[in-house]
Amino acid sequence: MFASMGTVYTILKSISELPEIADGLTELKDRLKKAFYRKASEKVNEDLKSAASQYKPPQPPPREPIYAEFTIDARPVSSLTPSIMKSHKIHLNVAISREAFTLENLGQNIVRDIRIGIFKGHSQRNQWSFADSYVGTIDILSSQQTITKDIADFRNSQGVSLDLSDNSPLHVDCWIQDSHGIYLFMFYLED
């Protein structure tokens, strides 16, 4: 259904209780599985018998030659709530080398007030604080636009420029922040 979660909840709730809909989907899956399995097994068995009569293998083909499994996942129906949910989309492409940083807007919407933090280290991080990064900004990134910045344009809180030229393997993480959220991209730069 192409609607908000709250609208989908209201529509489905007017038809039946959500747990009953989820149970019905599970029962439908079981019925479809049995019917498909029986018909598919009969057809494959016929084809195998035909081939066996022609080629005469040492043993007859198995009576149930196939195993089929499929899923109708009813969990999303069970998790619907009447409240309106907020969502975000990420339509960014981030690339980094030892010399340059590139940010591309793959989406159709303009992205404004972008804060970029770059972290470097010889081991992988699992905690980030923007204040510890080498910082850069982009005021506006139009739809389908790509902006490239020199690595030296990124500076830490003491005003020191970022330097990735030491030719040792580095873990480099890029913190991209706009008014909707914070996105983290992790890279490993080899020698």
Side-chain angles (χ1 to χ4, degrees), residues 148-173:
T148 300
K149 295 177 76 77
D150 288 336
I151 287 298
D153 291 346
F154 293 89
R155 300 187 180 276
N156 66 12
S157 58
Q158 287 82 36
V160 177
S161 292
L162 177 60
D163 182 10
L164 301 177
S165 65
D166 61 359
N167 290 330
S168 63
L170 289 173
H171 290 271
V172 179
D173 302 332

PDB file of all heavy atoms in Angstrom, residues 148-173:
ATOM      1  N   THR A 148      33.997  18.241  -5.129  1.00  0.00           N
ATOM      2  CA  THR A 148      35.261  17.671  -4.697  1.00  0.00           C
ATOM      3  C   THR A 148      36.028  18.711  -3.895  1.00  0.00           C
ATOM      4  O   THR A 148      36.085  19.880  -4.281  1.00  0.00           O
ATOM      5  CB  THR A 148      36.095  17.222  -5.916  1.00  0.00           C
ATOM      6  OG1 THR A 148      35.355  16.235  -6.625  1.00  0.00           O
ATOM      7  CG2 THR A 148      37.422  16.636  -5.490  1.00  0.00           C
ATOM      8  N   LYS A 149      36.598  18.291  -2.762  1.00  0.00           N
ATOM      9  CA  LYS A 149      37.395  19.174  -1.914  1.00  0.00           C
ATOM     10  C   LYS A 149      38.763  18.528  -1.709  1.00  0.00           C
ATOM     11  O   LYS A 149      38.863  17.308  -1.554  1.00  0.00           O
ATOM     12  CB  LYS A 149      36.730  19.379  -0.544  1.00  0.00           C
ATOM     13  CG  LYS A 149      35.395  20.121  -0.621  1.00  0.00           C
ATOM     14  CD  LYS A 149      34.731  20.235   0.730  1.00  0.00           C
ATOM     15  CE  LYS A 149      35.305  21.236   1.638  1.00  0.00           C
ATOM     16  NZ  LYS A 149      35.004  22.626   1.430  1.00  0.00           N
ATOM     17  N   ASP A 150      39.793  19.347  -1.672  1.00  0.00           N
ATOM     18  CA  ASP A 150      41.128  18.856  -1.348  1.00  0.00           C
ATOM     19  C   ASP A 150      41.159  18.393   0.103  1.00  0.00           C
ATOM     20  O   ASP A 150      40.529  19.019   0.976  1.00  0.00           O
ATOM     21  CB  ASP A 150      42.171  19.961  -1.540  1.00  0.00           C
ATOM     22  CG  ASP A 150      42.417  20.278  -3.005  1.00  0.00           C
ATOM     23  OD1 ASP A 150      42.169  19.404  -3.857  1.00  0.00           O
ATOM     24  OD2 ASP A 150      42.845  21.417  -3.291  1.00  0.00           O
ATOM     25  N   ILE A 151      41.917  17.355   0.374  1.00  0.00           N
ATOM     26  CA  ILE A 151      42.034  16.837   1.735  1.00  0.00           C
ATOM     27  C   ILE A 151      42.588  17.915   2.671  1.00  0.00           C
ATOM     28  O   ILE A 151      42.161  18.040   3.819  1.00  0.00           O
ATOM     29  CB  ILE A 151      42.922  15.571   1.745  1.00  0.00           C
ATOM     30  CG1 ILE A 151      42.155  14.393   1.120  1.00  0.00           C
ATOM     31  CG2 ILE A 151      43.398  15.216   3.136  1.00  0.00           C
ATOM     32  CD1 ILE A 151      40.892  13.970   1.837  1.00  0.00           C
ATOM     33  N   ALA A 152      43.504  18.726   2.185  1.00  0.00           N
ATOM     34  CA  ALA A 152      44.105  19.774   3.019  1.00  0.00           C
ATOM     35  C   ALA A 152      43.100  20.854   3.427  1.00  0.00           C
ATOM     36  O   ALA A 152      43.361  21.639   4.355  1.00  0.00           O
ATOM     37  CB  ALA A 152      45.286  20.414   2.285  1.00  0.00           C
ATOM     38  N   ASP A 153      41.923  20.902   2.779  1.00  0.00           N
ATOM     39  CA  ASP A 153      40.888  21.885   3.148  1.00  0.00           C
ATOM     40  C   ASP A 153      40.194  21.529   4.459  1.00  0.00           C
ATOM     41  O   ASP A 153      39.494  22.362   5.031  1.00  0.00           O
ATOM     42  CB  ASP A 153      39.833  21.998   2.043  1.00  0.00           C
ATOM     43  CG  ASP A 153      40.375  22.649   0.778  1.00  0.00           C
ATOM     44  OD1 ASP A 153      41.471  23.246   0.831  1.00  0.00           O
ATOM     45  OD2 ASP A 153      39.708  22.544  -0.268  1.00  0.00           O
ATOM     46  N   PHE A 154      40.355  20.294   4.920  1.00  0.00           N
ATOM     47  CA  PHE A 154      39.735  19.852   6.168  1.00  0.00           C
ATOM     48  C   PHE A 154      40.707  20.140   7.310  1.00  0.00           C
ATOM     49  O   PHE A 154      41.877  19.774   7.258  1.00  0.00           O
ATOM     50  CB  PHE A 154      39.395  18.365   6.103  1.00  0.00           C
ATOM     51  CG  PHE A 154      38.312  18.057   5.111  1.00  0.00           C
ATOM     52  CD1 PHE A 154      38.627  17.782   3.784  1.00  0.00           C
ATOM     53  CD2 PHE A 154      36.984  18.056   5.489  1.00  0.00           C
ATOM     54  CE1 PHE A 154      37.637  17.514   2.856  1.00  0.00           C
ATOM     55  CE2 PHE A 154      35.984  17.788   4.572  1.00  0.00           C
ATOM     56  CZ  PHE A 154      36.307  17.526   3.249  1.00  0.00           C
ATOM     57  N   ARG A 155      40.209  20.809   8.368  1.00  0.00           N
ATOM     58  CA  ARG A 155      41.078  21.228   9.486  1.00  0.00           C
ATOM     59  C   ARG A 155      40.475  20.766  10.812  1.00  0.00           C
ATOM     60  O   ARG A 155      39.255  20.749  10.977  1.00  0.00           O
ATOM     61  CB  ARG A 155      41.237  22.740   9.483  1.00  0.00           C
ATOM     62  CG  ARG A 155      41.869  23.263   8.206  1.00  0.00           C
ATOM     63  CD  ARG A 155      42.179  24.739   8.307  1.00  0.00           C
ATOM     64  NE  ARG A 155      42.781  25.226   7.081  1.00  0.00           N
ATOM     65  CZ  ARG A 155      44.074  25.131   6.798  1.00  0.00           C
ATOM     66  NH1 ARG A 155      44.892  24.574   7.645  1.00  0.00           N
ATOM     67  NH2 ARG A 155      44.546  25.606   5.655  1.00  0.00           N
ATOM     68  N   ASN A 156      41.367  20.427  11.755  1.00  0.00           N
ATOM     69  CA  ASN A 156      40.886  20.045  13.086  1.00  0.00           C
ATOM     70  C   ASN A 156      40.663  21.290  13.938  1.00  0.00           C
ATOM     71  O   ASN A 156      40.844  22.429  13.470  1.00  0.00           O
ATOM     72  CB  ASN A 156      41.836  19.041  13.750  1.00  0.00           C
ATOM     73  CG  ASN A 156      43.202  19.606  14.068  1.00  0.00           C
ATOM     74  OD1 ASN A 156      43.427  20.818  14.014  1.00  0.00           O
ATOM     75  ND2 ASN A 156      44.135  18.737  14.414  1.00  0.00           N
ATOM     76  N   SER A 157      40.341  21.126  15.222  1.00  0.00           N
ATOM     77  CA  SER A 157      40.004  22.265  16.080  1.00  0.00           C
ATOM     78  C   SER A 157      41.201  23.178  16.351  1.00  0.00           C
ATOM     79  O   SER A 157      41.021  24.334  16.737  1.00  0.00           O
ATOM     80  CB  SER A 157      39.407  21.766  17.401  1.00  0.00           C
ATOM     81  OG  SER A 157      40.330  20.909  18.050  1.00  0.00           O
ATOM     82  N   GLN A 158      42.446  22.682  16.139  1.00  0.00           N
ATOM     83  CA  GLN A 158      43.640  23.524  16.293  1.00  0.00           C
ATOM     84  C   GLN A 158      44.033  24.205  14.983  1.00  0.00           C
ATOM     85  O   GLN A 158      45.044  24.893  14.916  1.00  0.00           O
ATOM     86  CB  GLN A 158      44.836  22.680  16.787  1.00  0.00           C
ATOM     87  CG  GLN A 158      44.751  22.261  18.241  1.00  0.00           C
ATOM     88  CD  GLN A 158      43.881  21.031  18.418  1.00  0.00           C
ATOM     89  OE1 GLN A 158      43.869  20.148  17.583  1.00  0.00           O
ATOM     90  NE2 GLN A 158      43.145  20.998  19.520  1.00  0.00           N
ATOM     91  N   GLY A 159      43.275  23.983  13.908  1.00  0.00           N
ATOM     92  CA  GLY A 159      43.558  24.599  12.623  1.00  0.00           C
ATOM     93  C   GLY A 159      44.555  23.825  11.770  1.00  0.00           C
ATOM     94  O   GLY A 159      44.977  24.306  10.724  1.00  0.00           O
ATOM     95  N   VAL A 160      44.913  22.616  12.183  1.00  0.00           N
ATOM     96  CA  VAL A 160      45.859  21.791  11.438  1.00  0.00           C
ATOM     97  C   VAL A 160      45.127  21.107  10.284  1.00  0.00           C
ATOM     98  O   VAL A 160      44.048  20.533  10.461  1.00  0.00           O
ATOM     99  CB  VAL A 160      46.520  20.734  12.360  1.00  0.00           C
ATOM    100  CG1 VAL A 160      47.450  19.824  11.569  1.00  0.00           C
ATOM    101  CG2 VAL A 160      47.256  21.420  13.501  1.00  0.00           C
ATOM    102  N   SER A 161      45.730  21.137   9.095  1.00  0.00           N
ATOM    103  CA  SER A 161      45.130  20.511   7.907  1.00  0.00           C
ATOM    104  C   SER A 161      45.245  19.000   7.973  1.00  0.00           C
ATOM    105  O   SER A 161      46.235  18.456   8.488  1.00  0.00           O
ATOM    106  CB  SER A 161      45.832  20.999   6.636  1.00  0.00           C
ATOM    107  OG  SER A 161      45.563  22.353   6.435  1.00  0.00           O
ATOM    108  N   LEU A 162      44.268  18.340   7.419  1.00  0.00           N
ATOM    109  CA  LEU A 162      44.280  16.872   7.325  1.00  0.00           C
ATOM    110  C   LEU A 162      45.364  16.439   6.349  1.00  0.00           C
ATOM    111  O   LEU A 162      45.516  17.016   5.271  1.00  0.00           O
ATOM    112  CB  LEU A 162      42.912  16.371   6.852  1.00  0.00           C
ATOM    113  CG  LEU A 162      42.763  14.873   6.623  1.00  0.00           C
ATOM    114  CD1 LEU A 162      43.031  14.075   7.900  1.00  0.00           C
ATOM    115  CD2 LEU A 162      41.346  14.566   6.113  1.00  0.00           C
ATOM    116  N   ASP A 163      46.116  15.404   6.727  1.00  0.00           N
ATOM    117  CA  ASP A 163      47.171  14.867   5.872  1.00  0.00           C
ATOM    118  C   ASP A 163      47.018  13.347   5.833  1.00  0.00           C
ATOM    119  O   ASP A 163      47.099  12.689   6.871  1.00  0.00           O
ATOM    120  CB  ASP A 163      48.541  15.257   6.426  1.00  0.00           C
ATOM    121  CG  ASP A 163      49.690  14.770   5.555  1.00  0.00           C
ATOM    122  OD1 ASP A 163      49.423  14.291   4.428  1.00  0.00           O
ATOM    123  OD2 ASP A 163      50.842  14.855   6.008  1.00  0.00           O
ATOM    124  N   LEU A 164      46.748  12.796   4.656  1.00  0.00           N
ATOM    125  CA  LEU A 164      46.613  11.349   4.481  1.00  0.00           C
ATOM    126  C   LEU A 164      47.742  10.797   3.622  1.00  0.00           C
ATOM    127  O   LEU A 164      47.645   9.690   3.105  1.00  0.00           O
ATOM    128  CB  LEU A 164      45.259  11.022   3.822  1.00  0.00           C
ATOM    129  CG  LEU A 164      44.009  11.471   4.566  1.00  0.00           C
ATOM    130  CD1 LEU A 164      42.764  11.151   3.749  1.00  0.00           C
ATOM    131  CD2 LEU A 164      43.927  10.836   5.938  1.00  0.00           C
ATOM    132  N   SER A 165      48.831  11.544   3.472  1.00  0.00           N
ATOM    133  CA  SER A 165      49.870  11.178   2.507  1.00  0.00           C
ATOM    134  C   SER A 165      50.973  10.298   3.071  1.00  0.00           C
ATOM    135  O   SER A 165      51.985  10.088   2.417  1.00  0.00           O
ATOM    136  CB  SER A 165      50.495  12.447   1.919  1.00  0.00           C
ATOM    137  OG  SER A 165      51.162  13.162   2.950  1.00  0.00           O
ATOM    138  N   ASP A 166      50.830   9.752   4.275  1.00  0.00           N
ATOM    139  CA  ASP A 166      51.931   9.009   4.876  1.00  0.00           C
ATOM    140  C   ASP A 166      52.130   7.601   4.311  1.00  0.00           C
ATOM    141  O   ASP A 166      53.017   6.872   4.735  1.00  0.00           O
ATOM    142  CB  ASP A 166      51.793   8.961   6.392  1.00  0.00           C
ATOM    143  CG  ASP A 166      50.527   8.262   6.844  1.00  0.00           C
ATOM    144  OD1 ASP A 166      49.738   7.833   5.984  1.00  0.00           O
ATOM    145  OD2 ASP A 166      50.333   8.153   8.056  1.00  0.00           O
ATOM    146  N   ASN A 167      51.296   7.189   3.356  1.00  0.00           N
ATOM    147  CA  ASN A 167      51.433   5.908   2.646  1.00  0.00           C
ATOM    148  C   ASN A 167      51.314   4.667   3.514  1.00  0.00           C
ATOM    149  O   ASN A 167      51.680   3.579   3.092  1.00  0.00           O
ATOM    150  CB  ASN A 167      52.741   5.838   1.831  1.00  0.00           C
ATOM    151  CG  ASN A 167      52.688   6.775   0.651  1.00  0.00           C
ATOM    152  OD1 ASN A 167      51.622   7.045   0.104  1.00  0.00           O
ATOM    153  ND2 ASN A 167      53.834   7.293   0.251  1.00  0.00           N
ATOM    154  N   SER A 168      50.854   4.803   4.725  1.00  0.00           N
ATOM    155  CA  SER A 168      50.582   3.609   5.529  1.00  0.00           C
ATOM    156  C   SER A 168      49.083   3.308   5.431  1.00  0.00           C
ATOM    157  O   SER A 168      48.283   4.195   5.143  1.00  0.00           O
ATOM    158  CB  SER A 168      50.989   3.844   6.985  1.00  0.00           C
ATOM    159  OG  SER A 168      50.205   4.881   7.546  1.00  0.00           O
ATOM    160  N   PRO A 169      48.686   2.071   5.655  1.00  0.00           N
ATOM    161  CA  PRO A 169      47.249   1.771   5.618  1.00  0.00           C
ATOM    162  C   PRO A 169      46.498   2.586   6.679  1.00  0.00           C
ATOM    163  O   PRO A 169      46.969   2.719   7.804  1.00  0.00           O
ATOM    164  CB  PRO A 169      47.186   0.282   5.939  1.00  0.00           C
ATOM    165  CG  PRO A 169      48.547  -0.243   5.624  1.00  0.00           C
ATOM    166  CD  PRO A 169      49.492   0.885   5.897  1.00  0.00           C
ATOM    167  N   LEU A 170      45.371   3.146   6.288  1.00  0.00           N
ATOM    168  CA  LEU A 170      44.600   3.989   7.195  1.00  0.00           C
ATOM    169  C   LEU A 170      43.123   3.621   7.167  1.00  0.00           C
ATOM    170  O   LEU A 170      42.569   3.310   6.116  1.00  0.00           O
ATOM    171  CB  LEU A 170      44.721   5.463   6.785  1.00  0.00           C
ATOM    172  CG  LEU A 170      46.040   6.171   7.009  1.00  0.00           C
ATOM    173  CD1 LEU A 170      45.993   7.561   6.385  1.00  0.00           C
ATOM    174  CD2 LEU A 170      46.346   6.269   8.486  1.00  0.00           C
ATOM    175  N   HIS A 171      42.497   3.707   8.324  1.00  0.00           N
ATOM    176  CA  HIS A 171      41.041   3.661   8.415  1.00  0.00           C
ATOM    177  C   HIS A 171      40.583   5.117   8.401  1.00  0.00           C
ATOM    178  O   HIS A 171      41.023   5.918   9.242  1.00  0.00           O
ATOM    179  CB  HIS A 171      40.593   2.977   9.704  1.00  0.00           C
ATOM    180  CG  HIS A 171      40.874   1.514   9.712  1.00  0.00           C
ATOM    181  ND1 HIS A 171      39.992   0.595   9.227  1.00  0.00           N
ATOM    182  CD2 HIS A 171      41.962   0.818  10.118  1.00  0.00           C
ATOM    183  CE1 HIS A 171      40.505  -0.610   9.346  1.00  0.00           C
ATOM    184  NE2 HIS A 171      41.707  -0.508   9.881  1.00  0.00           N
ATOM    185  N   VAL A 172      39.755   5.467   7.442  1.00  0.00           N
ATOM    186  CA  VAL A 172      39.262   6.835   7.310  1.00  0.00           C
ATOM    187  C   VAL A 172      37.737   6.788   7.331  1.00  0.00           C
ATOM    188  O   VAL A 172      37.115   6.095   6.530  1.00  0.00           O
ATOM    189  CB  VAL A 172      39.767   7.485   5.994  1.00  0.00           C
ATOM    190  CG1 VAL A 172      39.213   8.893   5.863  1.00  0.00           C
ATOM    191  CG2 VAL A 172      41.286   7.503   5.959  1.00  0.00           C
ATOM    192  N   ASP A 173      37.159   7.513   8.282  1.00  0.00           N
ATOM    193  CA  ASP A 173      35.702   7.548   8.423  1.00  0.00           C
ATOM    194  C   ASP A 173      35.214   8.954   8.102  1.00  0.00           C
ATOM    195  O   ASP A 173      35.833   9.940   8.510  1.00  0.00           O
ATOM    196  CB  ASP A 173      35.289   7.181   9.847  1.00  0.00           C
ATOM    197  CG  ASP A 173      35.802   5.802  10.259  1.00  0.00           C
ATOM    198  OD1 ASP A 173      35.986   4.951   9.371  1.00  0.00           O
ATOM    199  OD2 ASP A 173      36.017   5.585  11.462  1.00  0.00           O
TER     200      ASP A 173
END
